[in-house]
Amino acid sequence: MIVTLKGNNPDPKKVELLTTWLEGLAIRTHFIVGQHQTVIGLIGDTSVVDIDLINSLDIVQNVQRIQEPYKKANRKFHTDDTVIDINGIKLGGGNFQIIAGPCSVESREQICSIAQSVKAAGSTMLRGGAFKPRTSPYSFQGMQAEGIELLLEAKRLTGLPIVSELMNISHLPLFEEVDVIQVGARNMQNFELLKELGMIKKPILLKRGLANTLEELLMSVEYIMAGGNENVILCERGIRTFETATRNTLDISAIPILHNKTHLPVIVDPSHAAGISSLVRPLSMAAIAAGADGLIIEVHNDPSQALCDGPQSLTPEAFDHLASDAHNVLQLMRGFKQ
Ligand code: PEP
Ligand code: MN
């Protein structure tokens, strides 16, 4: 439920009386103070709240029930786009960023050389998996703690903030200097993990599950936000369909739908969606045209030798081409919006 107060300077005593009364009904209040209006989001079992009573208060302009089960992530709760600050790099609300790097960290030389190339091409963040969720237990599982150390070296070398996947909350201490924690598609509904990540302040990149609806994605976001961490970036990375020509099917419609339903930034991973490197550039352009706030792209210095996801990885040269086209398409789209 959303209570919109009259004007931008409501009587603080009356507001306090209202919140104390609501808290007595076990309802938590979440204030969104805008330039022209103050809105109070009510979280909890609002069926016990008498709407007419709240509406009759002289500080209240109107009361709206939110039908959707996600509250804090809901655009109705927070009409402006949320901008996430990642070590000074802004993402969302018109700030477009490209995250690039290998699927997995493989060696010091590999991660440092890729980091330098993607930075030179215009990437503003470095990705690299240290803990890898592999379908087979016999496949390379990532360099784990050592992989994080090497990512940190690449961060010191280039100044690029780093993004890496966390699968087990017991590894959190290793992620102290990781700038964005990725929750992969396979863990989108690992609710215990999400609850723990709700208790920290670090930005979380939450990927859509392989077979999850957008509403399920938003409910997973809600687990993180309900705990108090509002720094969440959503990622569309392709879903399972009957189509076998691609690894997954990129759900382009997810971008405008999510923008309509939530204030959080939405980025796209065309690499895992396509599974084929030649499709990464066209899918990236489509994602930008549909309004994505950013891209996350797999880049490898020698894709044919990559220990994970080589077929979908771009060479540094192909990434350079993609990044410059991305900025051209972005400029073009900005022209349409004016
Ligand atoms: C990844 O980013 O390397 C990854 C495993 O992605 P996803 O969870 O989307 O499959
Ligand atoms: Mn990968």
Side-chain angles (χ1 to χ4, degrees), residues 310-331:
Q312 69 196 31
S313 299
L314 297 186
T315 58
E317 296 71 36
F319 175 69
D320 190 80
H321 182 193
L322 181 151
S324 73
D325 282 0
H327 285 101
N328 289 334
V329 174
L330 197 62
Q331 287 314 321

Side-chain angles (χ1 to χ4, degrees), residues 102-104 127 132 207 247 269 271-272 298 308-309 312:
C103 178
S104 316
R127 65 151 287 151
K132 293 305 302 176
K207 296 186 103 179
R247 184 175 178 183
D269 174 346
S271 308
H272 289 89
E298 286 189 342
C308 184
D309 287 349
Q312 69 196 31

Side-chain angles (χ1 to χ4, degrees), residues 246-257:
T246 47
R247 184 175 178 183
N248 292 287
T249 298
L250 180 62
D251 181 8
I252 284 286
S253 54
I255 307 158
I257 292 173

Side-chain angles (χ1 to χ4, degrees), residues 5-6 22 57 75-76 80 83 125 130 133 143 153 162 166 169 192 194 210 241 257 266-267 278-279 284 306 311 320:
L5 301 182
K6 282 183 190 152
L22 288 166
L57 302 176
R75 175 72 82 179
K76 291 178 189 156
D80 295 339
V83 177
M125 279 177 258
M143 291 183 79
E153 276 193 36
I162 53 177
L166 175 81
I169 200 64
E192 291 305 316
L194 301 178
L210 279 71
T241 68
I257 292 173
V266 180
I267 71 166
S278 62
L279 296 182
S284 298
D320 190 80

